[in-house]
Amino acid sequence: MELEVLGRALTTLPADDDHPYRTGPWRPQTVERKADDLDVVGEIPADLDGVYLRNTENPVHPALELYHPFDGDGMVHVVGFRDGKAFYRNRFVRTDGFLAEQEAGRPLWAGLAENPATSPTQTGWGARGRMKDASSTDIVMHNGVALTSFYQCGDLYRLDPTTLDTLGKASWNGAFPSDVGVSAHPKLDEATGELLFFNYGTEAPYMHYGVVDAADALVHYIDVPLPGPRLPHDMVFTENFAILNDMPLFWAPEALAKGKYAAKFHPDIPTRFAVIPRRGETSDIRWFEADPTYVLHWTNAYEDGDEIVVDGYYQENPEPPSGGGTIYQRMFRFLDNEQMGPRLHRWRLDTVTGKCTEEHLSDRISEFGMINQRHAGRRHRYTYAATTLPGWFLFDGILKHDADTGTEERYAFGEGVFGSETAMAPRTGSRSEDDGYLVTIVSDMNRDLSECLIFDAHTVGDGPIARIRLPERVSSGTHSTWAPGAQIPDWRTHDDPATAVGL
């Protein structure tokens, strides 16, 4: 392994920190590294070509009062594969808020679990004006550039997908909706090169939907009126439609009127799907009603005759009880999948009758499902999801679900080993949906190290075919993506111009 330190963040976290989501598997990193020719156990397939990109919440300053793991600064990790070899980089996303706090040497914004009025900084660089836009939730490729995003809506930060240099913010030729921002989970349609997105806020119409074309220009943007402020987190699309949602878990209006943000589930209100032609107008929106639940993540949607099929993770208990336990247990109950009970679920929206039918596809608790992105918006068969450790926001295994047969195959990382959202990487010249590899990063608490694991997508249960040692144990986090080399400009000749950047 050839290792080089690129930079180091100024941190004010206490040396004796005992916060459950800033220690253990969530221990943050402060050093940016560049490592080439990584050590490998097994063999990296020669037809694995591209980069695995993973975003993490990585705090460098303590909270003003109560830290929530989603408050951490964005740090992106990349493991790249070329010609049977691997390289690694990790870099902080140079958001406006991150740079301001580095200069100040202290936190400047209240977090998710804190009163916005306590923020030393009341304006600028905020997610919808009340929180720091950490750009730490999601990551997606579009037009040859990696885009990081924040779940509370904010800017999209542009990163070089191999060096992770921050290239500024998405502007879309000056048309970026900076007054509201963009939510996490914008969606790339690899077939058209379009990026579909939504945003949401506390003022009418409460949601918007837009399309950015393959040349990075905003070509469509409409209102999606809702009954009030909502908390959508994800969206899906088909070849002809975008599907947004109105879920009955949202901020309590009486608390919101007092400037407080407390989520409440309303079991008497149905789940609603907004089906919009991809370049349709507000007047074209059709609403479909389904059983009340909350869905954090969708896997895919596609058209099947007159029906639109939507797959995602139906929560059996979207609002776990808050009584008893420590303040941390009460705060983080929305991170406990064992309590919320998300299961892979299918909704069928009949465009002729306007009716919705639905069913569980799996009885096993799982979340963070990924597919072969070449099938996004088209019929898919396989979903690769994460199983989770009860009581924690930690991934303890990979679950492959076959929608055609209903069969499932699981690989458990082992006690004390925790994974990342697992991306499907089609091999060069792949001929079928699962003809490729699964890529993930694991943090092994037993050996105090991280590895990038590669699985044959056909035989997940057989375990990894290669283990790649990373230079430092990686903090846990949320989302990832796979970008094939063909999507990266100058991929075959990229000489990695990353240089040290002072922090």
Side-chain angles (χ1 to χ4, degrees):
M1 180 189 300
E2 302 172 8
L3 182 61
E4 177 183 349
V5 172
L6 298 175
R8 189 182 301 269
L10 168 66
T11 178
T12 58
L13 291 173
D16 59 349
D17 198 353
D18 62 355
H19 192 287
Y21 281 100
R22 289 196 306 247
T23 55
W26 285 84
R27 183 186 69 190
Q29 296 162 265
T30 59
V31 179
E32 298 175 322
R33 290 182 167 89
K34 167 185 175 181
D36 292 311
D37 200 13
L38 300 176
D39 298 333
V40 181
V41 176
E43 185 174 350
I44 298 173
D47 54 4
L48 178 61
D49 187 77
V51 295
Y52 173 77
L53 295 158
R54 182 196 179 201
N55 207 346
T56 56
E57 294 87 0
N58 199 91
V60 295
H61 299 294
L64 297 173
E65 295 175 345
L66 291 171
Y67 176 73
H68 189 282
F70 294 169
D71 296 337
D73 295 286
M75 173 183 273
V76 176
H77 305 260
V78 60
V79 184
F81 304 93
R82 280 188 295 222
D83 304 321
K85 294 184 177 181
F87 65 85
Y88 169 82
R89 313 282 185 266
N90 67 300
R91 304 292 296 276
F92 282 102
V93 183
R94 264 72 173 173
T95 66
D96 293 337
F98 171 79
L99 294 175
E101 290 186 333
Q102 283 290 290
E103 182 176 356
R106 63 189 177 96
L108 296 176
W109 282 269
L112 176 62
E114 298 173 320
N115 186 339
T118 64
S119 289
T121 300
Q122 294 294 326
T123 60
W125 308 319
R128 296 200 324 278
R130 76 178 192 93
M131 293 173 62
K132 179 178 64 176
D133 176 3
S135 207
S136 57
T137 307
D138 193 20
I139 186 163
V140 65
M141 281 285 294
H142 180 243
N143 195 32
V145 173
L147 301 172
T148 59
S149 55
F150 192 53
Y151 73 103
Q152 291 277 6
C153 295
D155 288 306
L156 296 180
Y157 280 86
R158 305 172 68 249
L159 275 63
D160 182 296
T162 57
T163 69
L164 303 184
D165 289 332
T166 303
L167 306 176
K169 308 173 191 177
S171 69
W172 301 337
N173 297 324
F176 187 89
S178 56
D179 57 332
V180 186
V182 170
S183 176
H185 299 299
K187 298 294 183 179
L188 173 68
D189 184 348
E190 289 193 10
T192 66
E194 291 179 331
L195 187 74
L196 287 71
F197 71 93
F198 69 99
N199 56 34
Y200 62 99
T202 56
E203 297 180 1
Y206 305 112
M207 186 189 287
H208 302 89
Y209 157 73
V211 181
V212 180
D213 69 13
D216 208 35
L218 180 65
V219 294
H220 193 64
Y221 189 65
I222 65 168
D223 296 348
V224 182
L226 298 177
R230 294 295 188 263
L231 290 171
H233 183 71
D234 197 3
M235 66 171 290
V236 279
F237 66 91
T238 70
E239 291 184 73
N240 295 294
F241 299 98
I243 298 97
L244 304 178
N245 60 84
D246 173 9
M247 296 281 171
L249 177 81
F250 50 83
W251 289 309
E254 60 276 11
L256 197 60
K258 300 176 182 178
K260 298 181 179 180
Y261 296 79
K264 180 176 177 57
F265 181 59
H266 302 266
D268 55 333
I269 299 176
T271 292
R272 297 199 306 157
F273 294 91
V275 175
I276 312 169
R278 283 173 55 158
R279 299 291 180 96
E281 301 300 327
T282 301
S283 58
D284 296 321
I285 299 173
R286 292 190 63 187
W287 289 98
F288 294 78
E289 293 190 354
D291 290 345
T293 186
Y294 187 76
V295 176
L296 189 64
H297 297 116
W298 310 96
T299 54
N300 193 32
Y302 60 88
E303 296 162 38
D304 183 15
D306 293 327
E307 292 185 322
I308 295 173
V309 179
V310 181
D311 286 1
Y313 291 90
Y314 180 110
Q315 292 184 2
E316 302 286 354
N317 184 22
E319 187 180 4
S322 60
T326 67
I327 186 172
Y328 289 148
Q329 289 172 323
R330 294 194 297 273
M331 277 178 61
F332 304 140
R333 68 189 190 278
F334 288 100
L335 301 178
D336 185 355
N337 277 334
E338 192 71 18
Q339 289 196 59
M340 294 184 294
R343 290 169 171 82
L344 188 60
H345 195 79
R346 174 164 288 178
W347 294 260
R348 286 184 171 271
L349 313 179
D350 191 318
T351 60
V352 175
T353 66
K355 301 296 184 181
C356 172
T357 57
E358 53 186 301
E359 63 176 334
H360 274 342
L361 297 183
S362 174
D363 292 327
R364 188 190 291 264
I365 293 174
S366 63
E367 242 283 7
F368 286 77
M370 302 281 274
I371 65 167
N372 181 334
Q373 284 303 304
R374 294 178 182 176
H375 289 255
R378 285 82 183 161
R379 183 186 293 272
H380 72 285
R381 178 174 177 177
Y382 302 106
T383 300
Y384 310 95
T387 58
T388 55
L389 190 70
W392 286 90
F393 184 36
L394 291 170
F395 302 154
D396 65 354
I398 301 172
L399 182 69
K400 177 183 179 180
H401 178 88
D402 184 334
D404 285 2
T405 65
T407 58
E408 294 180 329
E409 184 178 8
R410 181 173 182 259
Y411 177 79
F413 297 129
E415 186 174 352
V417 183
F418 308 107
S420 308
E421 186 176 54
T422 300
M424 197 283 174
R427 71 175 184 86
T428 303
S430 65
R431 296 180 179 274
S432 63
E433 184 180 343
D434 66 343
D435 186 11
Y437 308 97
L438 303 185
V439 184
T440 194
I441 291 174
V442 296
S443 294
D444 187 332
M445 303 302 296
N446 308 304
R447 297 184 291 160
D448 190 26
L449 58 81
S450 277
E451 296 174 315
C452 180
L453 306 185
I454 304 172
F455 297 78
D456 187 323
H458 287 111
T459 53
V460 176
D462 290 349
I465 59 175
R467 295 177 172 269
I468 303 162
R469 177 73 176 268
L470 303 183
E472 184 182 10
R473 199 179 83 211
V474 173
S475 173
S476 191
T478 47
H479 293 290
S480 70
T481 193
W482 170 259
Q487 291 183 10
I488 302 171
D490 304 319
W491 169 243
R492 301 310 305 172
T493 59
H494 205 300
D495 60 0
D496 188 14
T499 55
V501 178
L503 290 173

